C-alpha cells in the first residue's frame, strides 16, 4: 500500500523551508529513520528522516523548491506499515493488505519448518477442540484462536526458553507456542489431574509455571500490571529475562492497561506488551469503543515505543518481537506491539458470530496466516507442498493420540477439592 | 526490650525482613520520598536511606501497583505493598481477589504469591471514603489470609510471619493505634505500644489470643474495638461480671479452637466490630459459633457494631456511629441478666 510523507513543521518561525536535495532516489528502498531529504530553514541546513520503511515511489518536490509544513513531499510503497484497524474494515482495504507479499529473510530451513509446524499444531488443535465441544465431550466454555496462529508463534519463537508469557482467554495458541504439550492442554480441557493445571484451571486459565507461562488471566487487562511486576522482578534480580504479555484490543480501554504500561515505561521494564488486535471485543467492533483505533499510538503518549505489525505474517511478528526483546534486554523496554489479525470464530463456545459483515470475513479469510506462510515457503524457500503435507500429517497423528489419551485421563479425586488453595 | 508503638514496630519488622532476605521489597504511594511521610502513617519513614533500591514509590494507581506486586511475587520476590487508606483496596481488588488469591489454586498448586498487603482502616474524622472498616470485603475470599493486630508486639510478629508466608496476607492496621508521630500523628489515638524483645520472633497468622480471662461472658474484638472491650471488661469486673476478652486477630482463617474453648467456658458471646453490622465479620463469627458450639450457648450471640450507614464526618456523629465502651457494657450486661439463660447456667 501507499503512504504519503508530509513535511514536518521544522521552521520555528512558521515560514516555508527550501528543499536542498533528495538523499534517496525514487526506486530505492529506505528504512524508517534513514535521512531522506536535505532542507534549509532560516536557521540551518538539516535532514529529514523517512517516516516509513519501504520503496520510495515518488518525490513531489524537486530540489530548490519551497515547501510548507504539512505539504506532501514523497510517496512510499510499504509492506510493514499498516493502516489503523478502523481503516481496514472494508473488503477492499483488507484485500489490499492481502496483496502485500510476505518477505522471507534468510532463516535456516529447519527454523522455517518449525514455525510452520507450530502454527499447524495450533490450527489443528483448535479445530479438534471445536469438534470435541460440538460432540458434547467437553465441559465448560472455550475461546479459540483459529486464524491468529501467527501472533502466538511469531512472538513465542522470538523468546528464550527462560522468558515468560502471560496470556488471557483465547490462550490455547499461546500455550502451544510457548512449548506446552497438546496432551497437557487437552487433559486440562477435560478437567483431568494430568492437565497443565491439574484440572483446576480449565480452558481460560491454561499455563505451566515450569514452561514460563503464568495461568491465563481471564479478566480483561488483568495480566498487564502483573506482567509489569514480573518484569520488575527480573530487573531487581539483574536477570536478562523478558516477559511477553498477550492481550486483546478490548483490554486497551481498561484502567489496568494504562496503569500497567505507565509503570512499565516509568521504570523501563523488560515487557513486550503484545496486543492481538482482532477487531472484536466479544461482539463489539473496535470502531465502537475507541476513537483512535491505532493501538500502538498509546505507547508514545506514555513515552515508549509502539509498533503496528501485520499479525497474520509470522515472519513480521517474529522480527518485531526479536527487536522488542533485544530492546528490553538492553534496558530500553518496554515495547508495545500491535498485531493486526482477525477473529474468525465466535467469541466463545456458544457465539455463532453473526455480527461480522460477510465482506469483512471474506477479506480476512483470504489473508489466512497459515496459507500465506505456506505460499511464502513454497515460493521463497523452495519447500515443497509435499513436505508441508507431511508436517500436517504428523501433527494430526500427534493430536489423534492426545485426544485418545485425554479421554482416558484420570479425573481429580473429590477428596482433593481443597488442595492447592494455600501452600 | 524496648517500648514501641505499632508504626515503629512495623517499621522495625520491615527493616529486619529486608535485611534478612534480599527478595523483600516495599511498594506503595509516598512510602520512600526523602523528606516525605514514610507512607500515610510513617511506617516506612527513612527506610529509603537504608534500602534505596527496594523502596519503590508508585503513581496513584492502586489496581496497577497491586498487580505489579502480584507479578513480582509470582517471580520469586516478596513484596510488601502499602495502600494509604484501606478504602482504596476497592480499586485494587481485582488484582487481590482474582489474581493474588486464586493463582495458586487455578495453576493446580504450582504458582505461589508470597505477597504482604498493608491497609490502614478505621473511623478517624475523615468521613465516608477514608475511614471505612474493610475487613468484611476480604475475609470471605478463598486463598487470602487476613489479620488485624491490635498491639505493637503482634504487629511486628505478624508482619514478619506474613513476609515469610508463601501465601498472600492482608494486614489491616488501625489508624488510631499506630502511634504515628509528628505531622502524621492522629488526634484521639489509643495507646497500643508493647514491649518488643530484642530477638527475632513471629506471631502466628491463624491464632486468636486471650487478652483477659473470665468465666461469665466472652467478648470477641480486634483492632480498636479490642481496646474498648478490655476497658469494658475492667468496668464489668467491678460489677461482678467476669468477661473473657479475645483478640480475634486472625480474621481469615478464624481460630475456632481458641474461640470455642472460651464459648464452652462462658456460654455467652458478645462480638464487637467497628464496621456496619450487616454482612460484617461479626455476622460470620456469630454463624460460625452457633454452628459449632450451640450446645454451649446459654444465650443468643450478641453483636455490637456500627449502624448500616456510611461513616459520617461530624465528630459528634462519628462518635455515635462507632461502637464504644458504653455500648459494649450494655450488651454484656444484657447478656448476663437473670433472664438471659441464668437459670440454666448461673453466673459462676
Amino acid at each position: 500500500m501507499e503512504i504519503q510523507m508530509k513535511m514536518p513543521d521544522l521552521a520555528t518561525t512558521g515560514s516555508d523551508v527550501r528543499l536542498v536535495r533528495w538523499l534517496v532516489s525514487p526506486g530505492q528502498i529506505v528504512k524508517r529513520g534513514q535521512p531522506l531529504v536535505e532542507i534549509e530553514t532560516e536557521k540551518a541546513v538539516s535532514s529529514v528522516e523517512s517516516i516509513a520503511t519501504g520503496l520510495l515511489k515518488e518525490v513531489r518536490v524537486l530540489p530548490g523548491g519551497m515547501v510548507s509544513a504539512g505539504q506532501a513531499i514523497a510517496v512510499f510503497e510499504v509492506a510493514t506499515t499498516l493502516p489503523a484497524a478502523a481503516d481496514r474494515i472494508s473488503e477492499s482495504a483488507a484485500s489490499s493488505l492481502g496483496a502485500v507479499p510476505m518477505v522471507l529473510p534468510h532463516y535456516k530451513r529447519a527454523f522455517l519448518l518449525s514455525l510452520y509446524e507450530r502454527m499447524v499444531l495450533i490450527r489443528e488443535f483448535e479445530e479438534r477442540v471445536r469438534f470435541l465441544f460440538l460432540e458434547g465431550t467437553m465441559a465448560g466454555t472455550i475461546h479459540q484462536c483459529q486464524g491468529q496462529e501467527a501472533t502466538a508463534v511469531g512472538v513465542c519463537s522470538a523468546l528464550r526458553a527462560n522468558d515468560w508469557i502471560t496470556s488471557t482467554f483465547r490462550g490455547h495458541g499461546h500455550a502451544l507456542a510457548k512449548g506446552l504439550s497438546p496432551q497437557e492442554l487437552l487433559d486440562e480441557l477435560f478437567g483431568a489431574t494430568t492437565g497443565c493445571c491439574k484440572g483446576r484451571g480449565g480452558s481460560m486459565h491454561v499455563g505451566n509455571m515450569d514452561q514460563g507461562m503464568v495461568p491465563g488471566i481471564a479478566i480483561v487487562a488483568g495480566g498487564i500490571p502483573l506482567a509489569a511486576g514480573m518484569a520488575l522482578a527480573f530487573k531487581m534480580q539483574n536477570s536478562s529475562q523478558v516477559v511477553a504479555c498477550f492481550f486483546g484490543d478490548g483490554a486497551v480501554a481498561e484502567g489496568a492497561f494504562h496503569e500497567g504500561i505507565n509503570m512499565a515505561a516509568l521504570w523501563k521494564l523488560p515487557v513486550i506488551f503484545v496486543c492481538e488486535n482482532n477487531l472484536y471485543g466479544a461482539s463489539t467492533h473496535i470502531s465502537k469503543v475507541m476513537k483512535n483505533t491505532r493501538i500502538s499510538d498509546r505507547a508514545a503518549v506514555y513515552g515508549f515505543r509502539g509498533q503496528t505489525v501485520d499479525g497474520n505474517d509470522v515472519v513480521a511478528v517474529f522480527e518485531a518481537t526479536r527487536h522488542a526483546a533485544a530492546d528490553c534486554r538492553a534496558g530500553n523496554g518496554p515495547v508495545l506491539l500491535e498485531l493486526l489479525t482477525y477473529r474468525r470464530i465466535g467469541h466463545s463456545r456458544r457465539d455463532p458470530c453473526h455480527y461480522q459483515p460477510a465482506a469483512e470475513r471474506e477479506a480476512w479469510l483470504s489473508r489466512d496466516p497459515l496459507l500465506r506462510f505456506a505460499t511464502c515457503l513454497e515460493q521463497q524457500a523452495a519447500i515443497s507442498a509435499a513436505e508441508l503435507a507431511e508436517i500436517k500429517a504428523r501433527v494430526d497423528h500427534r493430536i489423534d493420540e492426545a485426544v485418545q489419551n485425554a479421554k482416558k485421563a484420570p479425573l481429580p479425586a473429590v477428596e482433593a477439592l481443597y488442595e492447592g488453595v494455600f501452600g | 526490650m524496648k517500648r514501641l508503638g505499632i508504626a515503629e514496630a512495623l517499621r522495625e519488622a520491615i527493616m529486619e525482613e529486608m535485611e534478612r532476605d534480599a527478595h523483600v521489597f516495599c511498594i506503595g504511594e509516598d512510602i520512600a520520598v526523602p523528606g516525605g511521610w514514610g507512607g500515610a502513617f510513617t511506617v516506612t519513614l527513612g527506610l529509603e536511606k537504608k534500602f534505596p533500591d527496594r523502596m519503590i514509590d508508585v503513581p496513584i494507581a492502586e489496581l496497577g501497583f497491586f498487580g505489579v506486586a502480584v507479578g513480582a511475587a509470582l517471580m520469586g520476590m516478596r513484596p510488601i505493598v502499602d495502600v494509604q487508606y484501606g478504602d482504596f483496596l476497592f480499586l485494587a481488588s481485582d488484582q487481590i481477589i482474582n489474581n493474588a488469591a486464586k493463582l495458586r489454586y487455578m495453576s493446580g498448586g504450582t504458582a505461589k504469591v508470597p505477597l504482604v498487603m498493608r491497609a490502614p482502616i478505621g473511623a478517624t474524622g475523615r468521613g465516608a471514603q477514608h475511614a471505612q472498616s474493610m475487613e468484611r470485603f476480604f475475609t470471605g475470599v478463598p486463598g487470602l489470609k487476613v489479620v488485624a493486630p491490635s498491639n505493637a508486639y503482634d504487629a511486628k510478629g505478624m508482619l514478619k510471619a506474613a513476609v515469610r508466608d508463601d501465601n498472600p496476607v492482608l494486614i489491616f492496621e488501625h489508624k488510631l493505634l499506630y502511634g504515628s508521630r509528628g505531622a502524621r500523628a492522629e488526634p484521639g489515638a489509643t495507646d497500643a505500644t508493647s514491649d518488643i524483645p530484642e530477638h527475632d520472633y513471629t506471631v502466628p497468622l491463624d491464632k486468636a489470643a486471650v487478652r483477659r480471662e473470665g468465666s461469665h461472658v466472652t467478648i470477641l474484638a480486634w483492632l480498636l474495638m479490642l481496646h474498648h472491650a478490655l476497658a469494658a471488661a475492667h468496668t464489668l469486673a467491678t460489677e461482678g461480671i467476669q468477661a473473657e476478652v479475645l483478640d480475634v486477630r486472625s480474621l481469615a482463617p478464624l481460630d475456632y479452637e481458641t474461640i470455642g474453648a472460651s464459648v464452652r467456658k462462658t456460654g455467652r458471646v458478645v462480638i464487637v466490630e467497628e464496621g456496619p453490622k450487616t454482612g460484617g465479620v461479626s455476622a460470620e463469627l456469630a454463624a460460625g459459633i452457633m454452628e459449632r458450639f450451640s450446645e454451649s450457648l446459654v444465650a443468643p450471640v450478641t453483636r455490637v457494631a456500627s449502624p448500616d450507614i456510611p461513616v459520617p464526618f461530624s465528630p459528634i456523629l462519628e462518635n455515635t456511629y462507632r461502637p464504644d465502651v458504653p455500648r459494649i457494657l450494655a450488651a454484656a450486661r444484657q447478656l448476663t441478666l437473670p433472664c438471659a439463660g441464668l437459670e440454666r447456667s448461673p453466673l459462676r
Side-chain angles (χ1 to χ4, degrees):
Chain A
M1 58 169 252
E2 281 188 0
I3 66 164
Q4 269 190 1
M5 177 167 169
K6 291 173 183 167
M7 188 66 202
D9 189 6
L10 297 173
T12 50
T13 57
S15 58
D16 290 354
V17 300
R18 193 173 71 87
L19 195 152
V20 179
R21 64 186 175 113
W22 287 95
L23 303 170
V24 179
S25 311
Q28 286 186 316
I29 300 287
V30 287
K31 284 191 174 166
R32 182 179 160 87
Q34 179 183 338
L36 183 69
V37 61
E38 209 169 82
I39 51 124
E40 186 180 5
T41 68
E42 77 276 23
K43 281 191 174 164
V45 173
S46 60
S47 62
V48 175
E49 295 166 346
S50 169
I51 59 160
T53 297
L55 177 79
L56 178 61
K57 231 174 139 180
E58 181 190 341
V59 299
R60 294 261 170 97
V61 182
L62 294 176
M66 298 304 288
V67 196
S68 311
Q71 184 182 336
I73 56 171
V75 179
F76 300 95
E77 178 69 38
V78 294
T80 52
T81 304
L82 297 174
D87 302 337
R88 297 176 293 128
I89 301 165
S90 72
E91 182 187 357
S92 62
S95 299
S96 76
L97 280 178
V100 177
M102 287 177 62
V103 179
L104 208 55
H106 294 291
Y107 296 144
K108 286 183 180 163
R109 189 181 163 82
F111 176 66
L112 291 170
L113 291 174
S114 76
L115 288 180
Y116 184 76
E117 179 156 352
R118 198 54 65 90
M119 289 171 69
V120 173
L121 178 66
I122 294 172
R123 173 70 56 91
E124 297 305 317
F125 180 92
E126 290 291 62
E127 283 299 297
R128 197 68 59 92
V129 165
R130 186 161 75 91
F131 284 104
L132 287 168
F133 266 94
L134 291 173
E135 276 174 28
T137 315
M138 279 182 174
T141 187
I142 38 165
H143 302 82
Q144 299 204 282
C145 68
Q146 290 96 326
Q148 299 183 198
E149 296 84 357
T151 56
V153 172
V155 168
C156 292
S157 303
L159 301 177
R160 296 177 184 167
N162 69 344
D163 289 333
W164 282 78
I165 65 169
T166 67
S167 173
T168 178
F169 53 84
R170 216 172 308 292
H172 302 171
H174 305 146
L176 291 167
K178 189 66 173 76
L180 274 73
S181 71
Q183 189 70 65
E184 63 182 317
L185 280 184
L186 272 173
D187 288 4
E188 186 63 32
L189 299 189
F190 275 91
T193 53
T194 42
C196 56
C197 300
K198 300 183 187 170
R200 267 58 162 199
S203 169
M204 279 193 273
H205 304 308
V206 295
N208 183 333
M209 296 297 283
D210 292 328
Q211 292 278 356
M213 180 181 184
V214 175
I217 307 293
I219 304 294
V220 171
I224 292 173
L226 196 82
M230 294 165 70
L232 176 66
F234 300 152
K235 191 171 176 178
M236 293 181 82
Q237 293 160 359
N238 291 318
S239 160
S240 63
Q241 286 161 288
V242 305
V243 51
C245 171
F246 286 98
F247 53 93
D249 43 286
V252 172
E254 289 273 13
F257 169 82
H258 296 270
E259 297 186 19
I261 67 171
N262 182 44
M263 277 180 272
L266 189 63
W267 301 323
K268 294 194 161 189
L269 298 179
V271 197
I272 307 166
F273 293 110
V274 182
C275 179
E276 294 176 296
N277 180 354
N278 65 14
L279 297 185
Y280 287 88
S283 65
T284 303
H285 193 271
I286 184 174
S287 58
K288 282 186 168 177
V289 296
M290 57 182 83
K291 171 93 168 155
N292 177 0
T293 56
R294 183 184 281 273
I295 287 167
S296 62
D297 282 356
R298 273 67 168 173
V301 301
Y302 288 100
F304 66 104
R305 184 167 75 80
Q307 184 184 352
T308 300
V309 180
D310 181 349
N312 280 8
D313 177 343
V314 68
V315 170
V317 175
F318 172 78
E319 283 298 326
T321 310
R322 204 163 61 89
H323 286 125
D327 280 356
C328 285
R329 289 188 225 281
N332 299 321
V335 177
L336 171 59
L337 297 181
E338 177 192 14
L339 310 182
L340 302 179
T341 183
Y342 191 69
R343 202 195 72 210
R344 62 170 63 176
I345 31 83
H347 166 68
S348 60
R349 180 187 174 187
R350 291 187 180 86
D351 175 11
C353 207
H354 287 158
Y355 42 82
Q356 291 183 338
E360 177 189 281
R361 284 185 61 82
E362 273 171 38
W364 278 95
L365 289 174
S366 74
R367 305 187 62 242
D368 183 279
L370 257 179
L371 286 177
R372 280 175 83 199
F373 192 39
T375 308
C376 170
L377 289 176
E378 288 176 32
Q379 291 174 354
Q380 296 178 50
I383 290 170
S384 69
E387 271 179 284
L388 300 182
E390 257 176 55
I391 287 174
K392 180 165 181 313
R394 188 160 68 232
V395 166
D396 280 342
H397 179 68
R398 198 177 166 196
I399 293 174
D400 284 343
E401 270 190 0
V403 169
Q404 280 174 24
N405 292 335
K407 286 182 171 174
K408 294 178 296 192
L411 299 178
V414 290
E415 300 78 44
L417 179 65
Y418 297 92
E419 281 175 12
V421 181
F422 292 105
Chain B
M1 197 77 84
K2 64 205 150 192
R3 194 80 188 165
L4 295 182
I6 286 183
E8 298 162 315
L10 289 168
R11 189 182 310 138
E12 204 171 84
I14 293 170
M15 191 170 70
E16 289 173 13
E17 290 305 294
M18 288 178 78
E19 277 169 350
R20 187 186 59 78
D21 183 349
H23 295 94
V24 180
F25 73 97
C26 292
I27 179 165
E29 294 151 336
D30 301 293
I31 63 167
V33 177
W37 311 341
F41 297 95
T42 70
V43 170
T44 56
L45 193 65
L47 292 181
E48 76 281 357
K49 292 185 199 122
K50 201 166 172 64
F51 309 104
D53 301 326
R54 285 193 280 154
M55 295 296 299
I56 301 177
D57 279 316
V58 294
I60 300 171
E62 286 81 7
L63 175 59
F65 72 78
F66 270 74
V68 165
V70 177
L74 266 181
M75 294 295 102
M77 300 299 284
R78 291 185 171 271
I80 302 172
V81 56
D82 176 311
V83 67
Q84 288 204 332
Y85 290 89
D87 310 66
F88 309 161
L89 289 174
F90 288 125
L91 290 159
S93 57
D94 173 53
Q95 289 293 338
I96 299 171
I97 297 172
N98 280 319
N99 286 350
K102 292 184 176 58
L103 272 164
R104 182 189 286 271
Y105 193 79
M106 66 200 222
S107 68
T110 57
K112 66 176 187 181
V113 184
L115 172 67
V116 180
M117 298 165 277
R118 297 185 33 247
I121 56 173
T124 52
R126 290 176 171 86
Q129 295 179 343
H130 281 62
Q132 293 167 86
S133 288
M134 300 289 293
E135 307 94 300
R136 67 190 57 227
F137 301 109
F138 295 93
T139 47
V141 177
L144 202 58
K145 296 185 179 182
V146 182
V147 297
S150 62
N151 65 52
Y153 182 91
D154 281 3
K156 180 171 179 185
M158 291 181 122
L159 188 130
K160 282 179 161 245
V163 169
R164 298 173 197 186
D165 198 290
D166 278 344
N167 304 287
V169 181
L170 176 52
I171 304 179
F172 285 112
E173 301 159 5
H174 201 287
K175 281 166 274 184
L176 292 179
L177 299 181
Y178 274 125
S180 305
R181 295 187 184 158
R184 310 302 298 176
E186 287 291 298
T190 293
D191 180 10
T193 57
S194 305
D195 290 330
I196 305 290
E198 296 300 328
H199 64 81
D200 182 54
Y201 71 94
T202 60
V203 170
L205 301 173
D206 57 357
K207 290 277 179 290
V210 179
R211 297 298 185 201
R212 179 190 175 107
E213 293 197 9
S215 55
H216 298 151
V217 57
T218 297
I219 306 179
L220 300 176
W222 58 96
L223 292 175
L224 181 66
M225 294 301 115
L226 184 269
H227 293 265
H228 289 354
L230 285 168
H234 184 74
T235 303
L236 289 169
T238 65
E239 301 167 9
I241 300 168
Q242 298 303 326
E244 178 145 299
V245 180
L246 261 63
D247 185 348
V248 180
R249 203 164 60 163
S250 162
L251 303 182
L254 289 164
D255 174 13
Y256 282 112
E257 198 179 318
T258 305
I259 293 167
S262 183
V263 174
R264 285 193 193 96
K265 186 161 67 168
T266 65
R268 299 176 184 84
V269 182
V270 176
I271 310 167
V272 192
E273 175 170 18
E274 181 172 331
K277 186 178 256 182
T278 301
V281 180
S282 55
E284 181 58 37
L285 270 167
I289 288 168
M290 286 191 274
E291 281 169 352
R292 290 168 175 80
F293 315 116
S294 58
E295 76 287 353
S296 303
L297 292 171
V298 296
V301 174
T302 299
R303 288 186 286 158
V304 177
S306 295
D308 293 332
I309 58 169
V311 182
F313 164 66
S314 178
I316 190 172
L317 293 179
E318 190 188 71
N319 288 333
T320 309
Y321 165 87
R322 192 199 300 107
D324 55 9
V325 176
R327 284 169 63 189
I328 300 169
L329 283 173
R333 286 174 186 141
Q334 183 69 32
L335 261 192
T336 49
L337 283 175
C339 62
L342 282 187
E343 298 81 0
R344 284 164 55 204
S345 174
L347 288 175
R348 282 159 284 210

